[in-house]
């Protein structure tokens, strides 16, 4: 096999290819670990599919009200079994991760209740859901108050302050597993379990919800295995396996999921309605592939972390750290750096590889932003994608990669563009 020629055909120089090869060699034990976790999670998914007798009939489209939709109802049982929960709601009518989170919150909070985030500021889009930034239809408008406890210096939990923040009004505690685009660490399932146990000791009947976005199948256990009452996520991230064209899920305690169903459709109707149209096969097949797809994304993240760390850039998480989500940050320190990186990722994509992303003034951001995404599903971030605000400290965030070889090409291509732009010197590569 002439790998060098293949890579050369794709615009990767011998120097970049060799640098990548040397870094990859060091990662064999790490990759093995990811494969083992994928194997474990694959068996979990397979077992749930067999137990619930997934059949060809499950892939049939339903229309109209969608009464007795076998595929939809069976899929929800499969999700519940994989997450070890009593129930789940997995639907194309849940449009994205933010919608799934908004649904879980609005369905289970009532006027006068308080929502608590013991892990600092939640994901950006939730600020409007909660009403931290005033917004039409926010929880705030319905008389649901919000409180948050800031994280300690090290990015972990301020237990005394959390204890103080829990009051008779506290109804639901929301815990975000992934750091998203913040600088704090992403939390291991074990750490989340400790936090939940602490909260429940103070107030046993409080509902603990985990924003599980980007975390599914990264570890052999999920937050629902360590006491979370609800786990919530998006199907255009890990659990959709790159195939789901839309969707979100909430898995958890039966009464809470019932509330979600009444909120999603209508009081009285709940889970009974909601046609699956034609998307069921992609939901099943995507969920089936999700453990290995997640492992591919993790390999890409660790490969990039080690490659860029060796080139002298700050990377979060660093090359050696254990992984709790699929996001990787690389601080390139210059506008040319982040632009070249994103343009390289775009050029490596299976879709829209010929377009050149440019920074633009995206609504809601206080600086120009550059985004690279050559995805089969619009906005899908389980597919290789990168974005960077063009401002200090000039960090690029990237995630995804449906297959390890395609993630690898994306990262090599990002480096190639940095070399071509003169940001990384060839001498530096040779020392790697
Ligand atoms: C992506 C994400 C969300 C929101 O999901 P969308 O599908 O983009 O609406 C919420 N929380 C976290 C941690 C995420 O990563």
């Amino acid at each position: 096999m002439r790998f060098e020629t293949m890579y050369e055909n794709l615009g990767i120089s011998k120097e970049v290819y060799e640098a990548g090869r040397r870094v990859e060699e060091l990662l064999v034990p790490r990759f093995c670990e990811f494969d083992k976790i994928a194997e474990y999670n694959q068996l979990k998914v397979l077992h749930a599919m067999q137990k619930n007798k997934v059949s060809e009939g499950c892939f049939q489209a339903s229309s109209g009200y969608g009464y007795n939709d076998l595929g939809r109802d069976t899929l929800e049982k499969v999700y519940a079994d994989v997450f070890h929960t009593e129930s789940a709601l997995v639907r194309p009518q849940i449009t994205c991760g933010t919608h799934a989170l908004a649904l879980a919150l609005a369905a289970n909070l009532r006027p006068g209740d308080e929502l608590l985030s013991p892990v600092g500021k939640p994901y950006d889009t939730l600020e409007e859901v909660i009403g931290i930034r005033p917004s039409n239809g926010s929880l705030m408008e319905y008389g649901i108050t919000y409180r948050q406890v800031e994280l300690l210096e090290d990015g972990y939990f301020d237990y005394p302050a959390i204890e103080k923040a829990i009051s008779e009004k506290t109804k639901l505690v929301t815990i975000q597993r992934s750091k998203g685009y913040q600088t704090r660490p992403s939390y291991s399932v074990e750490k989340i379990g400790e936090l939940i146990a602490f909260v429940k000791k103070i107030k046993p009947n409080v509902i603990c919800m985990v924003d599980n976005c980007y975390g599914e199948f990264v570890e052999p256990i999920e937050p629902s295995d360590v006491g979370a009452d609800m786990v919530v996520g998006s199907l255009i991230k890990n659990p959709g396996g790159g195939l789901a064209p839309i969707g979100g899920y909430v898995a958890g305690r039966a009464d809470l999921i019932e509330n979600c169903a009444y909120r999603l459709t209508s009081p009285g109707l709940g889970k009974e309605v909601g046609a699956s149209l034609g998307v069921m096969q992609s939901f099943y097949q995507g969920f089936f592939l999700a453990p290995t797809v997640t492992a591919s994304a993790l390999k890409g993240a660790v490969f990039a972390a080690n490659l860029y760390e060796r080139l002298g850039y700050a990377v979060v998480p660093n090359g050696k750290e254990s992984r709790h989500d699929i996001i990787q940050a690389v601080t390139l320190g210059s506008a040319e750096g982040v632009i070249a990186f994103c343009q390289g990722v775009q050029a490596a994509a299976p879709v829209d590889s010929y377009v050149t992303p440019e920074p633009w003034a995206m609504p809601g951001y206080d600086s120009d932003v550059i985004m690279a995404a050559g995805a089969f599903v619009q906005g899908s971030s389980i597919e290789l994608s990168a974005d960077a605000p063009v401002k200090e400290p000039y960090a690029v965030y990237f995630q995804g990669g449906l297959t390890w070889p395609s993630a690898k090409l994306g990262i090599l291509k990002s480096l190639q563009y940095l070399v071509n732009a003169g940001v990384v010197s060839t001498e530096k590569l040779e020392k790697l």
Side-chain angles (χ1 to χ4, degrees):
M1 286 185 288
R2 298 277 305 156
F3 275 112
E4 268 173 64
T5 316
M6 289 302 286
Y7 278 108
E8 211 178 301
N9 291 342
L10 286 154
I12 304 295
S13 69
K14 188 171 182 315
E15 292 77 19
V16 168
Y17 167 73
E18 279 299 323
R21 194 184 56 73
R22 289 196 293 276
V23 169
E24 187 181 349
E25 267 174 11
L26 305 171
L27 297 175
V28 172
R30 228 31 225 293
F31 282 17
C32 236
E33 248 176 73
F34 294 141
D35 287 337
K36 279 290 160 198
I37 293 170
E39 181 181 344
Y40 186 87
N41 284 325
Q42 182 75 80
L43 296 177
K44 227 197 282 185
V45 172
L46 262 173
H47 186 250
M49 288 187 171
Q50 293 174 0
K51 181 185 156 201
N52 290 291
K53 298 194 162 61
V54 173
S55 63
E56 199 186 340
C58 292
F59 309 146
Q60 296 305 312
S62 69
S63 63
Y65 293 113
Y67 291 136
N68 307 313
D69 185 325
L70 175 73
R72 178 196 67 206
D73 295 346
T74 304
L75 181 70
E76 290 179 339
K77 288 184 188 140
V78 169
Y79 262 69
D81 281 338
V82 165
F83 286 102
H84 302 127
T85 56
E86 292 171 357
S87 183
L89 194 65
V90 188
R91 308 251 167 155
Q93 285 82 13
I94 303 177
T95 54
C96 62
T98 304
H99 186 190
L101 289 157
L103 171 68
L105 292 172
N108 288 293
L109 290 161
R110 295 290 178 270
D113 288 343
E114 188 158 272
L115 166 66
L116 173 69
S117 170
V119 296
K121 185 183 112 44
Y123 197 74
D124 259 19
T125 55
L126 285 191
E127 292 188 3
E128 282 164 294
V129 170
I130 295 167
I132 301 171
R133 274 185 284 147
S135 178
N136 284 342
S138 70
L139 295 174
M140 203 73 87
E141 279 195 343
Y142 288 88
I144 295 155
T145 56
Y146 170 73
R147 192 189 276 217
Q148 86 185 29
V149 177
E150 299 308 326
L151 296 166
L152 296 174
E153 200 72 10
D154 65 359
Y156 281 92
F157 320 131
D158 186 346
Y159 281 116
I162 294 169
E163 178 159 18
K164 252 189 253 151
I166 297 173
S167 70
E168 72 284 356
K169 284 180 70 183
T170 313
K171 171 79 173 293
L172 197 152
V173 167
T174 178
I175 300 166
Q176 187 179 311
R177 180 172 174 181
S178 165
K179 66 172 156 311
Y181 302 112
Q182 292 173 263
T183 48
R184 56 105 161 155
S186 293
Y187 303 129
S188 67
V189 173
E190 190 187 353
K191 279 273 179 244
I192 291 172
E194 287 167 21
L195 177 56
I196 292 172
F198 179 82
V199 167
K200 296 253 182 191
K201 209 170 75 196
I202 296 164
K203 191 164 183 180
N205 62 349
V206 80
I207 301 163
C208 288
M209 178 185 98
V210 174
D211 175 350
N212 211 20
C213 283
Y214 286 134
E216 297 92 351
F217 299 132
V218 170
E219 297 184 45
I221 51 169
E222 299 290 337
S224 40
D225 291 312
V226 295
D229 300 300
M230 279 192 287
V231 286
V232 186
S234 161
L235 298 199
I236 63 169
K237 293 180 180 172
N238 309 15
L243 295 185
I246 190 172
Y249 76 90
V250 188
R253 232 168 63 194
D255 58 323
L256 305 176
I257 301 305
E258 185 114 322
N259 283 341
C260 291
Y262 288 135
R263 176 78 193 193
L264 178 66
T265 64
S266 155
L269 299 182
K271 275 185 146 187
E272 303 302 318
V273 297
S276 61
L277 308 171
V279 300
M280 274 301 133
Q281 188 192 334
S282 73
F283 278 23
Y284 280 101
Q285 203 171 349
F287 199 49
F288 172 75
L289 293 175
T292 52
V293 168
T294 302
S296 299
L298 285 169
K299 288 175 186 175
V302 166
F303 179 62
N306 282 276
L307 186 64
Y308 282 101
E309 195 169 52
R310 277 157 186 278
L311 288 166
Y313 295 103
V315 295
V316 180
N318 71 38
K320 299 239 154 28
E321 265 175 81
S322 65
R323 292 278 154 166
H324 308 300
D325 65 14
I326 63 168
I327 300 181
Q328 181 65 46
V330 181
T331 302
L332 292 159
S334 71
E336 306 82 77
V338 296
I339 292 168
F341 186 104
C342 288
Q343 291 180 342
V345 167
Q346 183 76 39
V351 182
D352 292 338
S353 62
Y354 57 90
V355 303
T356 305
E358 298 286 351
W360 61 298
M362 213 177 117
Y365 288 82
D366 59 358
S367 71
D368 282 2
V369 180
I370 180 161
M371 297 186 161
F376 293 101
V377 172
Q378 185 192 95
S380 167
S381 46
I382 187 62
E383 299 184 52
L384 189 64
S385 46
D387 44 71
V390 186
K391 64 171 183 188
E392 290 281 351
Y394 298 103
V396 62
Y397 296 87
F398 85 90
Q399 63 275 311
L402 295 184
T403 66
W404 153 240
S406 68
K408 177 179 170 180
L409 178 69
I411 293 146
L412 291 180
K413 199 91 177 167
S414 71
L415 179 55
Q416 185 70 56
Y417 272 55
L418 286 163
V419 171
N420 296 353
V423 178
V424 172
S425 67
T426 328
E427 297 81 77
K428 238 178 167 180
L429 284 186
E430 277 159 9
K431 287 209 208 84
L432 228 67

